[in-house]
Amino acid sequence: MKTFLITENDADQRLDKFLQKSVPLLPKSLLYKAIRKKRIKVNGKRCELNYRLVAGDKLELYINDEFFNEGRTNETFLMVPGNISVVYEDQNILLVNKPQGLVVHEDNDNTPDTLINRVKHYLYEKGDYQPEQELSFAPALANRIDRNTCGIVIVAKTAAALRVLNEKIKHREIEKQYLCLLAKRPKSPEATLTHYMKKDAENNLVRVQDFPDQDTKTMITEYQVLETKGDISLARVTLHTGRTHQIRAHMAYLGAPLLGDGKYGVNALNRKYGYKHQALCAYRLTFQFQTDAGVLNYLKGKTFEVEQVWFADDFHSGRFD
């Protein structure tokens, strides 16, 4: 028999979802059978798959030991560096400035050196994350940005914080602003644009068009040109939707692609200035909560910024004069 004591990080989730995470070696068919046969009990009583766990619940599993993975402390995150650039941190969340070139999660290359693994290593070294004591929760990213985009990524350090962040992001109560370098000046110095995008999965591209059809999604992008030097403009962009490659594709559609963007940009200008990746940074984050935010209420109205953006420094150095 195996006994689990449900903590705050395990609470408020369905029993079956919890078991799929905490006992991943147990096939779903055997999980369902164990529930039917009363081999899984909560507080000594029969339970249902959809039972929602409460902190303090005692979960008893009368199943074979072979299904329990006792080697959880041999974690992949210990293989990668634990050095991260912290923008803000408290007991619930961590704001990390992701460097350009680092993936947030494992991709097709299956590299262990990801942002989330670096974060886990950092929190492990601090004593804020002890995987051997967690049954189903691990620190998680609430948002993500492309490999070659730098800037703020939100990390939930607790399950309660993750639930709030997911809800607030869904309802667009967290504003994200970006800095970028545009390889050409837009016709208007500022605008809020509404267009429609369609994914080209085969080529990993986004196609932008003026009118919607059954396969498109609305994209709304607000931009403001802050300063222009020669061919290059420094601009601030606010996202009102969160689509794949939104800023890169939308600004290119305007005729003002990002400098360094090899997918949507102007290769001649990229080569001229030696930019091999898009000059794009998620530099500012504001918690614009409109409704109750539970454990994160104290963040309402607060704004956090990256102190130094590499290409903005480049722009103001006189390189583009």
Side-chain angles (χ1 to χ4, degrees), residues 304-315:
F304 300 92
E305 289 188 13
V306 173
E307 291 185 359
Q308 197 168 18
V309 178
W310 67 271
F311 58 81
D313 292 342
D314 208 12
F315 182 85

Side-chain angles (χ1 to χ4, degrees), residues 36-51:
R36 291 197 308 270
K37 297 290 187 179
K38 304 179 187 177
R39 294 174 187 160
I40 297 177
K41 297 182 179 181
V42 176
N43 301 324
K45 299 178 181 179
R46 179 176 183 172
C47 53
E48 300 295 334
L49 286 168
N50 63 355
Y51 173 75

Side-chain angles (χ1 to χ4, degrees), residues 72-73 75 77 124 129-135 137:
R72 296 186 65 204
T73 54
E75 298 283 358
F77 67 79
Y124 180 81
Y129 173 47
Q130 299 176 358
E132 66 278 1
Q133 296 182 14
E134 295 288 349
L135 299 176
F137 179 78

Side-chain angles (χ1 to χ4, degrees), residues 180-198:
C180 60
L181 292 182
L182 305 178
K184 292 186 178 180
R185 186 187 305 192
K187 291 181 180 178
S188 174
E190 58 183 86
T192 299
L193 310 165
T194 300
H195 288 97
Y196 305 90
M197 58 82 70
K198 185 181 298 186

